[in-house]
Amino acid sequence: EEAGEEADEESSDDGGFGGGEGTAETAAAVARAERVTEVDGLVLHLSSNATGYRGVAKRRGSSRRERFQACFRRKSIGCYTTAVEAAVAYAQRAAVTQAIDWMLQQVVAEVSQ
């Protein structure tokens, strides 16, 4: 099965932590600790949101295969099967945008001299 479906199934039970107070916080802490932080040298942008990644949201009620949407600066980058795939798309867009911003600053500085 897909990783997203497995995560959905795991989140529906108590995650092996047993009942009682603090179970949700403990499960959330473990999920945060197990997040992927880097893919092929690309550092992913972590967040405290439900997916764990900045710019990534779970699509509600989607019967499509793509369950996670990545957005950068309020514009959709696309929809992906897993949160990690969406986070990689966000990190790639952020890196390209940062490089373009840096180049523009260099041009402006050169023209200003």
Side-chain angles (χ1 to χ4, degrees), residues 23-100:
T23 303
E25 291 100 15
T26 305
V30 170
R32 281 192 300 274
E34 294 176 355
R35 284 190 291 204
V36 175
T37 59
E38 187 175 322
V39 174
D40 294 333
L42 186 66
V43 176
L44 304 183
H45 299 250
L46 302 181
S47 174
S48 61
N49 68 15
T51 64
Y53 299 102
R54 186 172 185 183
V56 177
K58 186 167 172 99
R59 298 177 68 202
R60 295 184 193 175
S62 177
S63 60
R64 302 173 89 189
R65 195 167 175 218
E66 297 83 15
R67 295 191 174 157
F68 295 90
Q69 182 170 14
C71 293
F72 184 78
R73 295 187 180 172
R74 298 184 183 177
K75 293 185 180 161
S76 177
I77 298 170
C79 297
Y80 303 87
T81 305
T82 67
V84 173
E85 289 172 340
V88 167
Y90 178 92
Q92 289 172 335
R93 179 66 56 95
V96 168
T97 300
Q98 183 180 15
I100 291 170

